[in-house]
Amino acid sequence: MSTKHSKAAEVFLEDRDHASWHNESLWFVREKRDKISKDIPEWEDLREISGKIKMHTISHLDQYLEQFTKNAEANGVIIHWAVDAKEHNEIVYDILQKNKVKKLIKSKSMLTEECHLNPYLIDHGIDVVESDLGERILQLMDLAPSHIVLPAIHIKRQQVGELFEEKLGTEKGNSDPTYLTRAARKHLRREFMTADAGMTGANFAIASTGDIVVCTNEGNADMGTSLPKLHIVSMGLEKVIPDLKSLSVFTRLLARSATGQPVTTYTSHFRKPRPGGEMHVVIVDNGRSKVLANKDHIQTLNCIRCGACMNTCPVYHRTGGYSYTYFIPGPIGINLGMLKAPSKYFDNVSACTLCFSCNNVCPAKIDLGQQIYKWRQNLDNLHHADPVKKMISGGLKFLFTKPGLYNTSLKMAPVINVIPRFVLYNGLNEWGKGRELPVFAKESFTELWKKGKVK
Amino acid sequence: MNSKEIILSNIKNNIRTQYEMPEINLKAIEYTDKIVRFCDVLTSVGGVGYILKTGENVNEAIKSIYPNAKVIASNCNDITCATMNPDKADDAHQLTGIDLAIVNGELGVAENACVWIPQNVVHKAIYFIAEEMVILLDKNRLVNNMHEAYDQIEFSDIGFGLFISGPSKTADIEQALVIGAHGVKGLTVILR
C-alpha cells in the first residue's frame, strides 16, 4: 500500500535533474541557517527561551488575546473574531464591501491560504493581487505555494521567464533573475498605486502594546499598506506574544532560522491606523483553540512559520512541497494536517525518516519528530496502518519474543545473501521497494560474543 | 455568544497546564566596536555604511555618493540638497519618481544592521517608494543586539515604526539574491 505522498514523490522524482536541483536549493538555505546561527554564541539559549515564552503565552492565551485587543482598540484598530475560515472570509469581504474596494493587494499570508480567501473574494468580484514575488509568480501560474517561506522554490527561472513573457511582456528567452525581478517590480508598482486596500498577515501581535508586527524582505507589505489607506490583517490567534521584550527574542531567531539572514529587511510595527484610514485585525481560530487541550500536539501552536523544519527535512528536500496532501508541507505541515483532519491527511505521516533534524533546528524547539512518531503509533486506530507492514511487524513481534526461534532464524539469515534478486525484490516485499536489504553477516553478534571474538 | 466569546471560552476550557513566563535576561552578544560590526553586516545585506568624517558636510557626502540623483526628497532640516519635502504632498500616491529619500534614523543595532525609525514623516510611503534611500544616524546611538534595542526604542504619535536592515531584496527566483524588490534598491546609512 503506497501513500498519496509516496505516489506523488515518485512522480516528482521522475525528473532526476529537477529533483536534485530542488534538494540542493533547500540544502543551500539550510547551510546558510547553520552558518548564521553560529554567529551568535547564545543561539541555543535563545531557542530555549523562545519555546518557553510560547508555552507560557499559549497557556495564558485568553488573557493575552484580551490584553492585545484592549490595547489595539485603544489605538483605534478594529478587531474582529472568526471562529472558522468561513467567518474569516465573510468578515474580510464585508470590510471590503463597506469600503467599496475593487482591488486588494496582499502580502504573504499562509492563513489566507488556509482559509481559501483568494478564490472566495475573486468569486465575489474582488480583484486580488498577491505582491510577494514568489506568490505573484504562483498566482499568475494558478499554483499554490510549495513552501511556507520560499513559495516558488520548486520553479525554475526559465519557467518564470516564459510566464513573464506571456503575462508581463518581458523579452523572449530572458530568464535572468534580476531582469525578471525588475519587471515584476514595475508591474506591481502599478498594482500598489491602484489598489484600494492592503492586506497582510501577522508575524507577531504584541499584547502589551497592541502592535501588529510584519517581517518582510521585499517591502511589499509596506508598499501595500503605505498607499491604500485601508489595512486588513489576518492573524491566527496563536500569533500573540506578551511584549516587546519577548519580540526581541523572536526577531533574532526568525530570519536566521528561515533564510539564514541576520534579520528581515523590514520589521514593521503597525500600531495605529493611518491618519484618515482604517486598520482591521481579524483574529482567527479555525481549530487552533482545540489544540490547546491536546498535550501530545500542543506545541504546534508555538510555530513561528520560519520553514526551517522544511529546509532541513531530507524527505521534503527530495519530494517537494506538492507531494504532501496538506497545504503546509514538511514536518510542521504533517502535524498541522493531522490536527486538522487525520482521516484526510494521514498519508503524510510516513513522509518522515524520524531523523529528528527538524527538532534540532526549530527556533521554538517544537517536538516535531516525536509528534509524527505518535501519529504513526495511532494509525492503526484510524484504520490506516499499512496491512502488509502490519503483518510483517506482527511476524517480527512473534519472532522477537521467542529467543530460540530468533537465534535459529539469525543463523539462517545469511541465506538471504545468495537468494536471487527476483525472489526478494518483487511486489510482495514492501520493504524491498526503493531499498536494498543489508548483507547479513555470517555470524551474529551473540555467536561472536560466545566465541570470545568480541573484544 | 458572539465569536469572540466562543473563542475565548474555548481557549479557557482547553487550557490544561499553565507555564511560567521565563526570565529573559540571557547573556547576549556584545561587540567591541559596534560601528565596525554594524557596517560589516550592513554590507553583507546589500547596504553601505558611510562614516562622516569630522568637518565633512553631510550634503556634500550625499552628493558624492549619489551624483546622479535628481529628485531628492527629505524633511530633515539640515538636508539642503533635497529638491522636495515629501511632507508637502497631499497624498502618498504623489510620491512617485523620487530618486533618493533621506530620512532620520533613531537607533542602530550592531548585530544585524537594523535602524529603528519611528514614523517621522507624514507619508510612510517615503521609506519604501523611492529608488534609493539614505538614513542619517547618530553614531553614538548604536546598541549591540535586539534586546537592547527593544529596551530603548520609542514610537511617535503616528503609531507606526520599523526596523530597516539594508535595501529591499528577494531570492524568490531560484534563490538568486536580487537587491531591490518592491522597496528601495539601495540604502546608505550615514553615521555621524
Side-chain angles (χ1 to χ4, degrees):
Chain A
M1 189 177 85
S2 297
T3 61
K4 282 181 190 161
H5 178 275
S6 64
K7 282 179 194 154
E10 218 168 298
V11 176
F12 179 85
L13 289 166
E14 272 168 15
D15 185 345
R16 284 276 156 188
D17 289 342
H18 183 266
S20 128
W21 166 79
H22 185 270
N23 179 33
E24 283 159 21
S25 302
L26 268 308
W27 186 248
F28 169 68
V29 184
R30 159 72 208 266
E31 280 186 316
K32 282 203 296 178
R33 173 259 172 219
D34 287 353
K35 193 166 168 280
I36 204 143
S37 67
K38 290 182 179 66
D39 208 22
I40 307 249
E42 66 272 25
W43 181 254
E44 290 304 317
D45 296 336
L46 278 171
R47 290 179 64 225
E48 185 71 31
I49 287 181
S50 137
K52 285 183 176 162
I53 295 172
K54 280 286 184 178
M55 281 316 282
H56 165 75
T57 316
I58 60 166
S59 67
H60 297 78
L61 197 54
D62 51 324
Q63 294 164 35
Y64 282 118
L65 283 171
E66 290 200 86
Q67 191 191 357
F68 167 75
T69 303
K70 191 173 140 260
N71 287 322
E73 282 173 348
N75 295 335
V77 176
I78 302 162
I79 305 286
H80 309 260
W81 298 75
V83 169
D84 55 19
K86 181 172 173 283
E87 191 175 11
H88 164 264
N89 294 351
E90 286 165 1
I91 291 168
V92 174
Y93 180 58
D94 187 52
I95 300 168
L96 296 178
Q97 237 188 347
K98 280 182 182 148
N99 287 277
K100 302 189 173 57
V101 171
K102 291 191 187 72
K103 185 187 285 185
L104 174 69
I105 192 125
K106 283 181 68 206
S107 71
K108 211 169 160 4
S109 155
M110 289 311 289
L111 178 56
T112 58
E113 289 282 336
E114 176 183 328
C115 295
H116 303 288
L117 177 71
N118 291 11
Y120 176 87
L121 292 180
I122 292 164
D123 279 352
H124 285 76
I126 307 279
D127 184 5
V128 182
V129 181
E130 291 288 350
S131 63
D132 172 84
L133 176 58
E135 292 282 351
R136 184 63 179 151
I137 291 168
L138 295 172
Q139 189 183 29
L140 291 172
M141 286 180 158
D142 201 19
L143 289 173
S146 77
H147 185 290
I148 62 171
V149 173
L150 319 163
I153 186 79
H154 61 298
I155 306 281
K156 299 283 281 187
R157 64 180 70 187
Q158 289 78 7
Q159 292 171 272
V160 181
E162 283 161 25
L163 176 79
F164 281 11
E165 197 186 305
E166 185 203 328
K167 307 274 185 183
L168 311 183
T170 54
E171 290 167 21
K172 198 170 167 52
N174 194 338
S175 57
D176 175 64
T178 304
Y179 171 72
L180 295 174
T181 301
R182 292 284 180 270
R185 175 185 169 97
K186 210 171 138 195
H187 154 71
L188 282 159
R189 275 284 159 117
R190 284 194 295 272
E191 302 293 340
F192 285 122
M193 291 300 282
T194 52
D196 308 299
M199 184 161 198
T200 67
N203 290 93
F204 306 98
I206 316 298
S208 66
T209 62
D211 295 10
I212 289 291
V213 179
V214 178
C215 308
T216 73
N217 283 320
E218 296 185 3
N220 58 317
D222 287 294
M223 282 294 286
T225 51
S226 294
L227 291 160
K229 285 198 165 179
L230 172 61
H231 177 193
I232 305 172
V233 179
S234 179
M235 152 189 160
L237 51 74
E238 81 284 19
K239 294 289 176 187
V240 71
I241 55 172
D243 48 25
L244 294 177
K245 206 174 173 60
S246 311
L247 180 63
S248 70
V249 173
F250 294 109
T251 51
R252 301 187 76 200
L253 287 164
L254 178 63
R256 287 185 172 99
S257 299
T259 53
Q261 295 171 250
V263 69
T264 47
T265 301
Y266 302 103
T267 304
S268 301
H269 289 243
F270 297 91
R271 184 168 284 187
K272 292 180 185 172
R274 296 246 309 278
E278 282 180 22
M279 179 172 162
H280 296 257
V281 176
V282 189
I283 300 175
V284 184
D285 185 338
N286 206 29
R288 287 165 174 75
S289 62
K290 199 177 65 186
V291 181
L292 285 168
N294 186 334
K295 69 172 171 34
D296 285 344
H297 299 285
I298 184 171
Q299 287 185 32
T300 52
L301 293 171
N302 297 352
C303 176
I304 58 170
R305 302 289 191 272
C306 70
C309 61
M310 287 157 218
N311 301 344
T312 200
C313 176
V315 180
Y316 176 85
H317 277 192
R318 290 168 179 82
T319 58
Y322 293 160
S323 295
Y324 299 78
T325 57
Y326 193 57
F327 80 107
I328 297 181
I332 186 67
I334 294 173
N335 287 304
L336 292 172
M338 288 302 279
L339 286 165
K340 178 63 74 185
S343 58
K344 198 168 167 194
Y345 298 114
F346 70 91
D347 288 272
N348 302 320
V349 298
S350 60
C352 169
T353 64
L354 295 177
C355 75
F356 282 46
S357 174
C358 46
N359 285 35
N360 291 317
V361 297
C362 176
K365 282 199 147 180
I366 301 172
D367 55 349
L368 293 154
Q370 285 93 331
Q371 291 194 35
I372 297 172
Y373 174 77
K374 284 172 188 163
W375 291 120
R376 288 195 192 178
Q377 296 307 299
N378 202 32
L379 271 187
D380 202 18
N381 293 339
L382 294 167
H383 310 294
H384 289 306
D386 184 325
V388 178
K389 285 181 186 164
K390 205 175 148 185
M391 190 184 78
I392 297 171
S393 299
L396 287 174
K397 188 179 172 193
F398 180 76
L399 197 62
F400 288 154
T401 50
K402 296 174 181 59
L405 190 60
Y406 176 74
N407 285 330
T408 311
S409 16
L410 261 191
K411 280 190 192 120
M412 302 290 287
V415 171
I416 291 172
N417 297 341
V418 296
I419 291 177
R421 281 192 74 81
F422 72 89
V423 181
L424 288 176
Y425 299 94
N426 57 39
L428 295 173
N429 181 8
E430 193 71 17
W431 280 346
K433 286 175 194 162
R435 290 190 188 84
E436 284 292 312
L437 283 168
V439 176
F440 288 92
K442 289 204 174 73
E443 286 181 300
S444 70
F445 180 81
T446 318
E447 280 177 315
L448 290 170
W449 180 264
K450 281 181 180 165
K451 290 175 186 167
K453 287 183 184 172
V454 181
K455 298 278 181 264
Chain B
M1 285 205 293
N2 63 27
S3 296
K4 177 182 180 178
E5 289 158 354
I6 294 170
I7 292 170
L8 288 174
S9 102
N10 282 346
I11 291 173
K12 277 181 205 149
N13 293 335
N14 288 336
I15 290 174
R16 297 289 182 268
T17 314
Q18 289 199 311
Y19 297 86
E20 288 292 308
M21 179 73 179
E23 284 257 2
I24 307 175
N25 57 358
L26 43 74
K27 195 176 155 15
I29 196 160
E30 292 179 5
Y31 302 93
T32 44
D33 191 333
K34 293 197 278 280
I35 295 178
V36 168
R37 165 73 192 191
F38 179 89
C39 292
D40 284 352
V41 180
L42 186 54
T43 308
S44 78
V45 296
V48 177
Y50 185 95
I51 302 161
L52 204 67
K53 293 168 209 71
T54 326
E56 190 181 4
N57 180 287
V58 68
N59 290 288
E60 295 301 320
I62 292 169
K63 278 187 183 162
S64 72
I65 307 168
Y66 296 101
N68 300 321
K70 290 195 176 60
V71 184
I72 302 177
S74 183
N75 71 351
C76 307
N77 290 334
D78 59 341
I79 298 304
T80 52
C81 64
T83 61
M84 67 175 284
N85 181 348
D87 290 354
K88 298 261 167 70
D90 298 326
D91 186 282
H93 291 82
Q94 294 167 5
L95 298 173
T96 55
I98 295 171
D99 298 317
L100 181 66
I102 304 165
V103 301
N104 275 316
E106 290 297 323
L107 189 77
V109 188
E111 75 159 308
N112 56 16
C114 270
V115 180
W116 172 251
I117 304 177
Q119 187 173 342
N120 50 16
V121 290
V122 172
H123 307 288
K124 67 186 169 84
I126 197 70
Y127 303 133
F128 318 104
I129 204 166
E131 292 296 295
E132 306 203 70
M133 181 153 85
V134 167
I135 303 177
L136 305 168
L137 182 66
D138 178 348
K139 63 174 183 284
N140 299 311
R141 293 281 286 143
L142 284 180
V143 295
N144 289 295
N145 52 58
M146 291 305 275
H147 308 297
E148 294 177 12
Y150 273 111
D151 273 346
Q152 294 188 27
I153 58 164
E154 283 171 10
F155 278 74
S156 62
D157 285 341
I158 308 174
F160 175 82
L162 82 169
F163 283 104
I164 299 182
S165 169
S168 74
K169 58 184 79 68
T170 183
D172 273 350
I173 301 174
E174 281 197 15
Q175 281 300 296
L177 180 67
V178 179
I179 302 289
H182 301 301
V184 298
K185 290 194 279 192
L187 175 81
T188 302
V189 177
I190 297 184
L191 294 150
R192 54 176 180 170

